[in-house]
Amino acid sequence: MKLSNPSTVPVYTIAGANTARPLPEWLARKRKRSLKKDSEYANRIELLQDFEFEEASSCVRVSEDGEWVMSTGTYKPQIHTHYLPHLSLSYARHTNALNETFTILSSDYTKSLHLQSDRVLEFHTAGGLHYSARIPRYGRDLVYNRRTAEALVPAVGINADGNGEVYRLNLEIGRFMKGYEVDVGGDEMDSMGGGALQGSINVGAVNCAAVAEHSHGLLAFGTSLGTVELWDARSRNRVSALGPPPSLFTSETDSRPEITALEFHRSGLNLATGSSNGIIHTYDLRSPVPLLKKDQGFDFPIKTLKYLPSSSLSSEKMMSADKRAIKIWDSATGDHWTSMEPAVDLNHVEWVPDSGMLLTANEGRQQHAFFIPQLGPAPKWCAFLDNLVEEMAEDADDPNAFNSAKTSAGEVYDNYKFLDMTQLRELSLDHLVGQTNLLRPYMHGYFVAQKLYEQARLLTNPDLAEQQRQKTIQEKINKERESRIRGNKKIAVKVNRRLAEKLAAKEEANEKRKALRVLKQGGDEPRAPVETAASDEAEAAEKPAKGLMGDDRFTRLFEDEDFEIDETSREFAMHNPSTVPNASTEGRKPRGLTAVEEDELDERRGSSDESGDSDGDAAEEEAAALRARQQAKRRNNVEEDNKRVGSANYKKTGKSNKFKEPRMQVSSSTGDFKKQKDRHNKSFGDLASSMPTRDRKSARDNSRGGVVGEKEITFAPSKSDKKGGRPRYDDDAGGQGRKMGRGQERRSASGNFFRKM
C-alpha cells in the first residue's frame, strides 16, 4: 500500500501500476524465485483478485447494493464481474466487439446494458447474452432513465431534419421510441455540423447525457457545439438550453470546445459540465451564467464528473478526471483538495458510494484503486483498510500526519517493529527515548525500524543466529517425523464412542485384507460375470457404503442419548465378559455369601455377641475377610489340582481329581490384628468360654480330664498276633487304641477267602 502526498490530504494507492510493477507472464515464471528478493514485488497488495485486463480497461461500475463491480476491457473484448465480499473475480465473459460504455439496470449484476463499438446494444444477464439490438448510427454515451424505463443513446450524425438524435429504447414495451432531436449544427458543410455524413471529420454529435433521477428528472445532453440542452421526459420537449460561455473560445482559433461530461447535483439545482479542453463549469439551472470555472490543467477532455457528498467533510467536493489525473476540489469555491496522477492514461473513474474508495478503468494492464481516508471510511468489503491507516498514522485526525517533509512516500511505518519499554530495556535502546526520531511513540510503546531492531537484538544476543539456525533445523526434523507417524483417526460421535471406534477398526481391517487380496491377485479385482453384473449393482446400491456407521438407519445410534449403551450394566457384562473388570477393581457389585460362609459368619457373630465387644463394622470386616479366604482357598485348590494333574507321578499312579489336599485358610491382617489385641485384654476363662460350641465339644472329647488345651496319650505294647503281625497298641486314655492287627483288616491275597471262615 503506497502513500502519495501531493497535498495535505493523504491518498493511498491500493491497487495499480504504482504498487505492483506489471511483469510479463513468461518473465514471472522465469524469475519466480528471484522475485522473492524484490521489495517492490514482495510488498504488493492485491485488493481484488484479477482486477485487471490483458491490455486495457474501458469502463467500471459499482452495483447499487455495493457488492458487485463490473468492468469492461480488452484484448480480447471481455467483461469482468467481481464479488466484493469475497474480494475475487466471479466470472469473465467475452464479447464480439469492444465495449464503449455500459450501465447496470438492476440492483446487482444480473441485468446490464452494454454499448458496443459496432453499433450494437447488448443485454446481459447472469447466464450470458440475453438480446442484442442494432442502432442506425454510432453511439457516444449510454444512460438509463429509471422513471420511464428508457435507455438513452446519444449518437453521432444528424437525421433527415438536420438534427442530432438521442435514441430511446423503451425496455418496458420492448421497442425503439421516437428519439430526442438535439441541435448539433445542421447539414451544411460550412457549418459546425460538418455535413450529414457520419464519416466526416467534424461531424456533429451528441456526446454525453445526464439524468437528474434524484430530483426533478430533467435530461441534459451535451453537444459538439459546446451547448447543453435540457429536456423534460414527461412532455418530450426541450425546456432550456445553455450556450457555451465566452471563456471556452480559444484565441488562436474560433472553434468551440465540445461538451464531453455532464453531472447533476442530487438537489437538481446545480449542473456541472466538462469540455474537451479541460475546463469545468458549474451552473445554477435558474441562471445561464456559470457559477464557477475550474481548469483541470492538462488541456485534455474531461471524461468523468462526480459530486462527492460526505458527512465527514465540512463542504461538498467535486471530482473531475481526464486521461492524465484525478482531481478533487471544493464544489463551491473551487479550492484544490487533493489529486492523483497514475502512471497510465485513464478512461473512466468510479466512486464507491459512501466511502473514500475510487476505482479506475485505464490503459494499463492493472486497474487502479485509490483510498482517501478523509473523504470517507473504507467500504464494508475491505474494512480492514481503516485499521491499516490508523496503525500507519501517528495522528489520524492530523492532516499533516503524512507530510512528505517527515518521510518519503512509501516509507511510513513500513517494516517497523512495535516494542514496549520492557523490551527496549532488554535491547538497551531505552536511552534513545526522546533523543532521536528512531523511536516513534505509539500508545504504550514505540515503533522501531526493523533493521535497527535486528541489529540491537544481535548485539544483545550474539548467538541468536546460531540459535535460529538450530531452531529451523529442529522444526524441519519434527515436520519430517510427523509425516512418518500415522495416528488413529478420531471418531467424531456424540454417544457410543467405543462402539464407533470398534466398528471403524473392523472396517479398516477389512479394507487391509481386501487390499492384500487384490495385491495377491496381481493388482486388479476379479470382474463379475456379465449376467450377474446387474444384480451385483442392485445389491451394492442396497448395501450401505460405509458399514454400520454409514447407514442412515443407524445414525441415531451414535447421535441420540436414548441409545447410549450402559457399560456398567449386567446385560453388557454378560454379552462382553472380556470387558468386565477384576474383582479387585472398584465398581464391582458385591457378591452374596454362600451357605457355608453364612454359617461360619453366624458362629463368629454368636461368639462375638457372647463377648459383647463386636459391632457392625467388625462384622462387615469379618464378612469381607471370610469372602477373601474362600476365594483364596478356591484359587489354591485349582492351582494345586492343575499342578498335580500335570505331574508325571500323578499320571503314573492314576489318582483321581478327588484327592484332597491339606486345607489352607487365609485371614486378613486387619482381622487378625484385632483378634490378637482382644486376646491380650481377656482372661483365659473368657477365651475358653468365647470359643464356638463345637470347638469346645471337640476339645472336651479329645482331652484327658476335660482340661482345655491339654491332652495325654499313652501307647502300651501288647502281644503280637499269631500270624506274625505287628504289635498292637492300646490307648490307655480312652480305650480307643487299635484292637486288631493291620493284617486282619486287609483282604487276603489267597485264592480262596472262604477257607478262613
Side-chain angles (χ1 to χ4, degrees):
M1 188 165 65
K2 188 176 182 180
L3 175 66
S4 58
N5 290 294
S7 64
T8 58
V9 179
V11 178
Y12 296 90
T13 304
I14 307 299
N18 292 341
T19 57
R21 183 174 63 256
L23 297 174
E25 294 183 0
W26 61 271
L27 184 60
R29 291 193 298 268
K30 185 178 180 181
R31 299 176 53 196
K32 188 174 182 180
R33 293 186 178 180
S34 62
L35 287 175
K36 295 180 180 180
K37 300 180 181 179
D38 191 346
S39 59
E40 184 178 354
Y41 185 81
N43 295 331
R44 73 191 188 279
I45 294 179
E46 189 175 8
L47 180 65
L48 291 176
Q49 178 189 1
D50 298 329
F51 193 55
E52 61 183 19
F53 287 87
E54 284 75 3
E55 184 177 344
S57 53
S58 57
C59 186
V60 58
R61 305 279 186 187
V62 179
S63 62
E64 185 179 354
D65 57 5
E67 294 187 352
W68 300 88
V69 168
M70 183 178 292
S71 54
T72 58
T74 189
Y75 178 81
K76 300 169 183 173
Q78 52 190 304
I79 302 171
H80 287 179
T81 302
H82 289 78
Y83 184 49
L84 297 180
H86 291 175
L87 301 177
S88 62
L89 180 66
S90 179
Y91 68 86
R93 184 179 301 161
H94 289 267
T95 57
N96 296 328
L98 182 63
N99 189 283
E100 295 287 347
T101 184
F102 70 95
T103 182
I104 300 177
L105 304 177
S106 60
S107 61
D108 54 3
Y109 76 101
T110 53
K111 296 179 182 179
S112 59
L113 177 59
H114 300 259
L115 175 62
Q116 307 289 48
S117 59
D118 59 348
R119 298 187 296 162
V120 173
L121 290 175
E122 290 187 352
F123 293 85
H124 284 260
T125 61
L129 176 62
H130 177 69
Y131 183 76
S132 62
R134 194 175 181 88
I135 55 178
R137 288 187 290 273
Y138 293 97
R140 288 288 183 89
D141 197 6
L142 175 65
V143 295
Y144 178 62
N145 189 2
R146 298 181 181 274
R147 296 188 178 185
T148 58
E150 291 180 351
L152 305 178
V153 186
V156 180
I158 58 176
N159 58 9
D161 297 333
N163 296 321
E165 280 190 302
V166 178
Y167 299 112
R168 297 168 53 205
L169 178 59
N170 193 301
L171 303 184
E172 183 179 4
I173 301 176
R175 65 183 181 90
F176 283 96
M177 311 296 290
K178 183 179 179 180
Y180 297 112
E181 296 183 354
V182 182
D183 184 12
V184 294
D187 58 352
E188 297 179 1
M189 294 300 297
D190 297 334
S191 65
M192 297 295 296
L197 296 178
Q198 299 185 45
S200 60
I201 297 176
N202 295 321
V203 64
V206 183
N207 293 328
C208 55
V211 181
E213 59 182 9
H214 298 289
S215 54
H216 43 67
L218 289 181
L219 307 177
F221 303 112
T223 67
S224 57
L225 296 178
T227 61
V228 178
E229 293 189 4
L230 301 176
W231 287 69
D232 189 353
R234 295 169 294 182
S235 61
R236 293 184 297 278
N237 292 324
R238 182 187 296 110
V239 176
S240 177
L242 297 174
S247 60
L248 287 179
F249 293 93
T250 61
S251 59
E252 298 178 358
T253 61
D254 198 17
S255 62
R256 299 179 180 180
E258 302 179 4
I259 300 297
T260 57
L262 291 172
E263 177 70 12
F264 273 105
H265 191 269
R266 293 181 62 89
S267 63
L269 297 178
N270 295 337
L271 175 67
T273 64
S275 62
S276 58
N277 59 355
I279 304 297
I280 302 104
H281 289 88
T282 59
Y283 289 89
D284 190 334
L285 296 183
R286 295 166 292 187
S287 173
V289 180
L291 297 176
L292 180 67
K293 174 187 174 182
K294 179 68 177 178
D295 189 358
Q296 188 76 1
F298 299 101
D299 295 334
F300 293 123
I302 303 298
K303 295 190 174 183
T304 305
L305 285 175
K306 187 71 176 179
Y307 283 96
L308 303 178
S310 178
S311 59
S312 61
L313 300 177
S314 58
S315 60
E316 191 175 39
K317 306 299 179 183
M318 167 72 75
M319 180 196 67
S320 59
D322 57 7
K323 72 173 185 179
R324 183 71 176 274
I326 303 172
K327 290 189 177 182
I328 301 177
W329 39 278
D330 196 318
S331 61
T333 61
D335 296 337
H336 178 79
W337 195 56
T338 188
S339 62
M340 293 140 278
E341 295 186 18
V344 293
D345 293 342
L346 298 173
N347 292 327
H348 184 259
V349 180
E350 178 72 4
W351 174 61
V352 180
D354 302 327
S355 69
M357 180 73 69
L358 297 176
L359 305 177
T360 67
N362 45 265
E363 289 297 325
R365 178 186 180 92
Q366 296 177 335
Q367 295 180 249
H368 286 70
F370 300 99
F371 178 55
I372 307 174
Q374 296 186 18
L375 180 62
K380 60 181 181 179
W381 47 271
C382 59
F384 55 87
L385 292 180
D386 290 331
N387 298 332
L388 293 178
V389 171
E390 291 178 1
E391 291 177 0
M392 294 174 62
E394 295 180 1
D395 186 3
D397 298 331
D398 185 9
N400 298 320
F402 301 96
N403 192 356
S404 58
K406 296 182 179 180
T407 56
S408 59
E411 295 180 356
V412 179
Y413 287 94
D414 287 348
N415 299 326
Y416 271 71
K417 179 72 174 178
F418 179 80
L419 301 174
D420 55 11
M421 285 301 301
T422 304
Q423 295 173 337
L424 287 176
R425 293 189 187 97
E426 293 177 355
L427 298 176
S428 300
L429 296 178
D430 53 341
H431 65 281
L432 299 178
V433 177
Q435 303 295 331
T436 178
N437 58 358
L438 296 176
L439 304 182
R440 304 191 180 195
Y442 180 75
M443 295 180 66
H444 62 282
Y446 298 87
F447 275 110
V448 182
Q450 187 70 25
K451 293 182 179 179
L452 177 60
Y453 168 73
E454 293 177 356
Q455 293 176 0
R457 192 172 62 160
L458 185 60
L459 292 175
T460 306
N461 187 6
D463 300 333
L464 182 63
E466 185 64 23
Q467 293 177 2
Q468 186 66 25
R469 179 175 175 272
Q470 295 295 336
K471 183 179 179 181
T472 304
I473 295 174
Q474 188 65 30
E475 289 178 355
K476 291 182 180 179
I477 294 174
N478 294 337
K479 188 175 182 180
E480 292 178 357
R481 288 176 178 176
E482 291 176 359
S483 62
R484 294 194 297 264
I485 297 175
R486 297 292 183 269
N488 296 330
K489 297 181 179 179
K490 295 184 178 180
I491 307 299
V493 293
K494 295 182 179 179
V495 295
N496 299 332
R497 183 182 181 84
R498 291 189 179 180
L499 177 61
E501 292 177 352
K502 183 178 179 181
L503 295 175
K506 187 180 295 184
E507 290 292 333
E508 186 177 358
N510 293 336
E511 291 294 335
K512 289 182 180 179
R513 286 195 296 269
K514 183 178 179 181
L516 293 175
R517 185 170 61 254
V518 171
L519 291 175
K520 289 180 180 179
Q521 295 175 358
D524 296 328
E525 295 186 2
R527 295 183 178 180
V530 178
E531 59 272 7
T532 61
S535 60
D536 293 343
E537 292 179 358
E539 292 178 1
E542 295 178 359
K543 187 176 180 180
K546 297 182 180 180
L548 184 62
M549 297 184 62
D551 197 340
D552 297 338
R553 298 172 297 177
F554 302 99
T555 54
R556 295 181 61 188
L557 181 61
F558 305 100
E559 296 178 359
D560 196 347
E561 295 182 356
D562 295 338
F563 293 92
E564 185 176 4
I565 299 174
D566 186 10
E567 298 184 359
T568 61
S569 61
R570 181 174 178 82
E571 290 78 5
F572 181 82
M574 295 294 292
H575 289 285
N576 302 274
S578 60
T579 61
V580 178
N582 297 329
S584 60
T585 59
E586 297 182 359
R588 178 83 179 266
K589 294 183 178 180
R591 182 182 60 83
L593 298 177
T594 62
V596 177
E597 294 173 351
E598 289 181 356
D599 294 341
E600 186 174 353
L601 182 61
D602 291 339
E603 292 176 358
R604 290 182 176 273
R605 286 179 179 176
S607 62
S608 300
D609 292 340
E610 293 176 1
S611 60
D613 296 333
S614 64
D615 52 1
D617 295 337
E620 294 179 0
E621 293 178 358
E622 291 181 1
L626 181 60
R627 284 194 295 269
R629 287 195 298 271
Q630 294 292 340
Q631 292 174 1
K633 182 183 71 174
R634 285 194 292 271
R635 286 197 299 269
N636 293 335
N637 292 339
V638 172
E639 291 176 359
E640 293 296 334
D641 292 342
N642 293 336
K643 292 180 181 178
R644 186 167 56 255
V645 171
S647 61
N649 295 331
Y650 184 84
K651 293 179 180 179
K652 292 179 180 180
T653 55
K655 294 182 179 181
S656 62
N657 293 334
K658 295 182 180 179
F659 182 78
K660 296 183 180 180
E661 293 290 335
R663 181 178 180 183
M664 298 179 64
Q665 292 184 354
V666 180
S667 60
S668 62
S669 60
T670 305
D672 295 341
F673 177 76
K674 290 185 177 181
K675 290 179 180 179
Q676 293 294 335
K677 186 176 180 181
D678 293 339
R679 290 174 63 88
H680 286 294
N681 298 331
K682 293 181 180 181
S683 62
F684 181 79
D686 295 337
L687 291 176
S689 61
S690 61
M691 290 180 61
T693 305
R694 61 182 181 183
D695 291 344
R696 291 198 300 268
K697 182 178 180 181
S698 60
R700 187 168 52 250
D701 294 340
N702 296 331
S703 62
R704 183 180 180 182
V707 179
V708 178
E710 295 181 1
K711 185 176 182 180
E712 295 180 2
I713 301 176
T714 302
F715 297 93
S718 60
K719 294 180 181 181
S720 59
D721 295 337
K722 295 180 180 181
K723 294 183 180 182
R726 292 183 179 180
R728 182 174 58 186
Y729 297 91
D730 296 333
D731 189 357
D732 297 337
Q736 298 179 2
R738 187 182 298 274
K739 301 297 182 182
M740 58 192 321
R742 290 183 180 272
Q744 294 182 4
E745 63 182 0
R746 298 179 181 177
R747 184 176 178 180
S748 176
S750 61
N752 191 355
F753 181 75
F754 295 98
R755 292 178 182 177
K756 302 177 182 180
M757 296 179 61

